[in-house]
Amino acid sequence: MLDPKKVRLGICPIGWSNDDMWDLGDENTFQQCISEMKLAGFDGCEVGHKYPEDKKVLKHMLDVRNMTIASKWFSSFLVDKPYEEVEAEFIKELDYLSYVGATAINVSEQSGSIQGMLDKRILKDKRVLTDEEWTRFCDGMNKLGKLSLEKYGIRTCFHHHMGTVCQTVEETTRLMENTDPKYVFLCFDTGHFTFAGEDPVAMLEKFADRVGHVHLKNMRMPIVDKVKAEDWSFLKAVREGAFTVPGDPDGCVEFDKVFDLLDKAGYTGWIMVEAEQDPAKANPYEYAKMGREYITAHTGLGGEVVLK
């Protein structure tokens, strides 16, 4: 059982309002989102596009609900832009996250990303980096990681992601093996490895000691099979329901093995439920409760919420 003194349970707002396709969940307000998160039994969340840009306003709205920010997505362009330009944007995010109490920042390399392109096949059209580009990428991650940890006490956690230059186990392994473990952590995502045709458990066995943040996604494999057969884009896969939460009987991810490996590795940090779904098809509050109840039953995290 994971230690609730060391591991906290949160959820991402993407089930309420999608950050890539704003029409999904446009009707759901920020206050509804964080209130339902708390009602479902979560102590923290990540930042979505409907969240207040004013960090003081955000912190107040979370404080009154006894919640906090765990982390936030950061789009890096270390391969295609000058490092100094990326660092300047990174510092802005760190200032914001430091104020609201975050412990991690999730960095996704977006140079050449096709994740937001409807006309690109997510499993066939991704960019492949050259050796020189890999060197620039890894060096940049080391610099960002050193800056965030030494100046802000925030972990830089690399987020492998479908449609990006770091999608597969091979690519993620290359990044991990060529960055400093003191400064660059892994945002371990069960869904994106599964979607890529990889075994998330095998990856966690290899890099459990590098995990700085966790995203728990479940996958509906019949939908993923259609993605492969019909050459769908990432966004179409999301709309059609490729992702779901832990505890959904339609999913396929073996979370008990993930929990066990994190426990054995002495993981400290946040475990986040993150499943981008169409809220018109998958009610966010219902699926949030489903995910929380499953995780509580299997780990003890989250306590018992009796609200119906």
Side-chain angles (χ1 to χ4, degrees), residues 165-281:
V165 296
C166 197
Q167 168 180 297
T168 65
V169 160
E170 180 182 3
E171 290 160 343
T172 308
T173 298
R174 183 168 182 173
L175 179 74
M176 289 290 100
E177 291 181 346
N178 287 279
T179 51
D180 192 331
K182 296 193 303 292
Y183 299 125
V184 179
F185 298 84
L186 179 64
C187 175
F188 174 73
D189 191 304
T190 55
H192 282 284
F193 278 137
T194 303
F195 199 153
E198 311 282 11
D199 180 358
V201 172
M203 191 62 174
L204 188 56
E205 287 174 340
K206 189 172 185 178
F207 288 111
D209 61 337
R210 294 285 297 274
V211 174
H213 197 66
V214 176
H215 282 169
L216 295 186
K217 289 187 182 76
N218 213 343
M219 301 298 301
R220 296 184 177 97
M221 287 311 293
I223 304 298
V224 176
D225 289 340
K226 281 191 172 184
V227 175
K228 298 175 183 177
E230 300 177 19
D231 289 332
W232 290 359
S233 67
F234 178 73
L235 298 185
K236 181 172 175 59
V238 170
R239 283 188 182 275
E240 296 298 325
F243 295 113
T244 185
V245 299
D248 186 338
D250 290 340
C252 69
V253 176
E254 297 182 60
F255 290 102
D256 281 335
K257 292 182 179 179
V258 171
F259 298 143
D260 184 55
L261 286 168
L262 290 171
D263 184 34
K264 288 179 179 177
Y267 173 70
T268 62
W270 285 91
I271 287 181
M272 312 297 295
V273 172
E274 188 195 37
E276 44 264 67
Q277 302 191 81
D278 181 349
K281 300 176 181 177

Side-chain angles (χ1 to χ4, degrees), residues 47-230:
V47 178
H49 74 272
K50 287 193 174 183
Y51 281 41
E53 293 184 10
D54 187 324
K55 60 189 179 184
K56 294 181 180 179
V57 172
L58 175 59
K59 188 173 187 303
H60 171 73
M61 288 182 147
L62 292 171
D63 283 349
V64 297
R65 293 168 173 84
N66 194 27
M67 294 181 69
T68 190
I69 293 296
S71 185
K72 185 179 187 293
W73 171 283
F74 176 74
S75 294
S76 64
F77 294 87
L78 294 164
V79 175
D80 287 350
K81 292 184 178 180
Y83 171 78
E84 292 74 18
E85 186 177 330
V86 177
E87 183 185 89
E89 293 300 317
F90 192 60
I91 289 172
K92 291 178 185 177
E93 297 287 10
L94 290 171
D95 287 337
Y96 181 91
L97 288 172
S98 178
Y99 185 85
V100 296
T103 58
I105 183 167
N106 303 331
V107 178
S108 175
E109 181 59 23
Q110 290 294 294
S111 296
S113 172
I114 62 168
Q115 71 187 65
M117 300 180 182
L118 287 168
D119 61 342
K120 296 294 184 180
R121 302 168 297 176
I122 193 62
L123 294 172
K124 295 181 180 178
D125 293 336
K126 70 181 291 295
R127 178 175 173 179
V128 177
L129 297 182
T130 66
D131 288 344
E132 188 276 332
E133 288 171 334
W134 267 106
T135 298
R136 189 157 67 248
F137 178 24
C138 293
D139 288 349
M141 285 298 303
N142 279 331
K143 292 177 183 177
L144 295 181
K146 188 173 190 294
L147 169 65
S148 70
L149 195 62
E150 292 187 350
K151 187 173 181 180
Y152 296 89
I154 291 175
R155 296 170 175 169
T156 288
C157 302
F158 183 77
H159 191 343
H160 56 98
H161 197 286
M162 294 299 297
T164 70
V165 296
C166 197
Q167 168 180 297
T168 65
V169 160
E170 180 182 3
E171 290 160 343
T172 308
T173 298
R174 183 168 182 173
L175 179 74
M176 289 290 100
E177 291 181 346
N178 287 279
T179 51
D180 192 331
K182 296 193 303 292
Y183 299 125
V184 179
F185 298 84
L186 179 64
C187 175
F188 174 73
D189 191 304
T190 55
H192 282 284
F193 278 137
T194 303
F195 199 153
E198 311 282 11
D199 180 358
V201 172
M203 191 62 174
L204 188 56
E205 287 174 340
K206 189 172 185 178
F207 288 111
D209 61 337
R210 294 285 297 274
V211 174
H213 197 66
V214 176
H215 282 169
L216 295 186
K217 289 187 182 76
N218 213 343
M219 301 298 301
R220 296 184 177 97
M221 287 311 293
I223 304 298
V224 176
D225 289 340
K226 281 191 172 184
V227 175
K228 298 175 183 177
E230 300 177 19

